[in-house]
Amino acid sequence: MRASPRIVWTALTALVGLLLLAAAPAARANEAAEYRLKAAFVYNFLNFVEWAPTAEPVFSLCIVGNDPFGAEIDGLAGKAVGTRRIELVRKSGTDGVRACHAVFVAAAPADRLGRTLEALRGAPVLTIADSADAARQGAMLGLRVANSRIVFDANVQAARAAGLTISSRLLRLASEVIQ
Amino acid sequence: MQNVMTLRQRAAAAVLALVLAAAAPASTAATLSLDALLRLSIEQLLQVRVHAGGSHAR
């Protein structure tokens, strides 16, 4: 007895659907792990920058636009940056970004980084972005994945223009440094 | 009793070593909590794999 093509097609479709359903949680877990690792990089970056002396008790770390971290970055709240403690601030747009001390801009949408950098022009705010050519676009530090590991690029020119100094130890570890 | 491994036994041992090495890859972010990652130096963070398996870039 031979199964009809329709039955075979239905069975194949169901099988593909089941495989996709099984793969979705794994993909989400991978993304969560990637952003947990990126959160650790962000915290390290904050401590490799020379900040102007201040009596402020709070260090505002802002996430602009879509938040790719979710809860993975929440553990940074209250951690020390010099004498200050991190406060996480999630912003849907660029309003008020100049009050942040560091800003993380997610990869999507593509035009978000340019608009955020424009809003921050001249302000001593560390800009960290999450797209392949972020540092070339003007972010001070850009995170990307290469060979299953996180690497970063640095734009010293952008940092200098904002009056910030990135530690030479960090720059030595960067994949690309834009002078 | 002969102590010298035969060629077949040596091949089996080599295959087993390869399988064990594949089953226990370098640290991956998936196996480390944020607290554990924050205890690593930036040099060590650069060595952590985003996840086990093949490589990709973006």
Side-chain angles (χ1 to χ4, degrees):
Chain A
M1 192 178 89
R2 291 181 59 190
S4 77
R6 188 170 176 177
I7 290 174
V8 172
W9 184 245
T10 306
L12 276 175
T13 307
L15 185 63
V16 169
L18 280 173
L19 286 173
L20 288 174
L21 276 177
R28 275 197 298 276
N30 278 340
E31 190 169 312
E34 176 182 330
Y35 278 95
R36 188 158 61 244
L37 182 53
K38 285 180 176 173
F41 269 93
V42 167
Y43 181 65
N44 267 273
F45 291 162
L46 303 182
N47 285 293
F48 278 111
V49 171
E50 284 178 26
W51 301 100
T54 175
E56 279 182 281
V58 170
F59 183 99
S60 295
L61 170 57
C62 301
I63 300 164
V64 176
N66 302 332
D67 173 10
F69 293 103
E72 300 297 338
I73 200 169
D74 289 353
L76 295 191
K79 298 275 184 201
V81 178
T83 56
R84 292 177 285 180
R85 298 282 163 183
I86 294 176
E87 177 188 61
L88 290 169
V89 181
R90 290 175 166 90
K91 290 184 172 293
S92 57
T94 56
D95 284 352
V97 284
R98 294 176 78 91
C100 305
H101 299 103
V103 160
F104 179 92
V105 187
D111 61 341
R112 172 92 59 196
L113 178 58
R115 280 188 279 129
T116 306
L117 294 176
E118 187 57 39
L120 287 171
R121 189 182 292 272
V125 177
L126 183 73
T127 51
I128 305 167
D130 182 27
S131 50
D133 58 348
R136 286 172 186 268
Q137 286 183 56
M140 297 171 201
L141 293 161
L143 288 165
R144 57 190 167 88
V145 178
N147 297 322
S148 287
R149 290 177 169 83
I150 305 289
V151 298
F152 65 93
D153 306 312
N155 186 326
V156 175
Q157 191 179 43
R160 200 182 298 125
L164 296 175
T165 304
I166 299 172
S167 147
S168 57
R169 182 181 157 205
L170 186 64
L171 295 178
R172 275 199 298 276
L173 298 170
S175 292
E176 184 182 0
V177 176
I178 298 162
Q179 294 290 346
Chain B
M1 198 175 90
Q2 197 174 358
N3 284 331
V4 180
M5 288 174 82
T6 64
L7 190 60
R8 182 177 291 184
Q9 284 172 324
R10 267 185 269 172
V15 169
L16 182 62
L18 281 173
V19 169
L20 289 176
S27 294
T28 70
T31 62
L32 296 168
S33 67
L34 180 62
D35 274 344
L37 289 168
L38 292 177
R39 282 194 287 271
L40 301 180
S41 67
I42 191 120
E43 289 88 348
Q44 289 170 320
L45 288 176
L46 288 164
Q47 298 305 316
V48 177
R49 297 175 72 87
V50 174
H51 46 73
S55 63
H56 65 285
R58 66 169 185 255

